[in-house]
Amino acid sequence: MISLRDATPHDGAALAAIYNPYVADTVITFETEPVRAEEMAARVSEAQESKLPYLVAIDDTTSQVAGYAYASKWKGRCAYRHSVETSVYLDRNQCGQGIGTLLMEALIERLRAAGMHALIGGIALPNEASVGLHERLGFKKVAQFEQVGHKFDQWIDVGYWQLILPET
């Protein structure tokens, strides 16, 4: 069973342990150096200071963090204040079990309650799992930038998926 809770800076080491294999082995993230636990803790604090959700999924059988999802500011200018970028990462041993969906559904509900309007997911391509997750949740592809990232001696395209939340 999986339970969700708000992340805290104390989760920094667990978040780094999930994230760093993506840094080291994939083009899913464009970071190229491992992220220290302290940096992940700072990222959690930054989201909280911005009043944006940062959620963790806990595997109740092991009490370990199985994944996380968060929102960050899309852009810094004031008119963008109702738009956020969403991100989700799973422990690679936990993929395919519905945890990403659970996290993203909860994140979307938190963002809806916070009055957000446009949710944007940037996806390094190809990434069938992430595209499938976003599209199942109602995100629509709105853009693709060609060869904007370079990692592991290859150029990488990035697609953007957007979900507009209806006004309440």
Side-chain angles (χ1 to χ4, degrees), residues 49-161:
E49 289 166 11
S50 297
K51 306 286 189 247
L52 293 172
Y54 206 121
L55 305 173
V56 293
I58 305 297
D59 181 331
D60 293 333
T61 60
T62 64
S63 299
Q64 300 296 309
V65 176
Y68 63 96
Y70 64 94
S72 54
K73 293 178 183 178
W74 172 243
K75 301 263 187 186
R77 298 217 167 97
C78 186
Y80 289 114
R81 70 189 174 279
H82 299 290
S83 299
V84 295
E85 185 168 7
T86 60
S87 298
V88 60
Y89 289 92
L90 300 177
D91 179 309
R92 289 164 105 182
N93 296 319
Q94 300 280 359
C95 293
Q97 299 179 41
I99 299 169
T101 300
L102 187 67
L103 280 162
M104 284 294 290
E105 287 174 342
L107 186 69
I108 291 166
E109 286 312 309
R110 291 276 191 95
L111 293 167
R112 185 185 322 275
M116 291 298 128
H117 181 68
L119 313 186
I120 302 159
I123 304 172
L125 299 173
N127 186 337
E128 288 182 33
S130 189
V131 169
L133 170 64
H134 283 81
E135 290 183 352
R136 279 192 308 279
L137 294 170
F139 284 73
K140 304 288 185 221
K141 187 175 185 181
V142 294
Q144 181 166 330
F145 297 110
E146 295 180 356
Q147 301 181 18
V148 293
H150 192 264
K151 187 175 177 181
F152 302 136
D153 294 322
Q154 64 181 316
W155 289 106
I156 305 145
D157 294 357
V158 175
Y160 285 93
W161 277 254

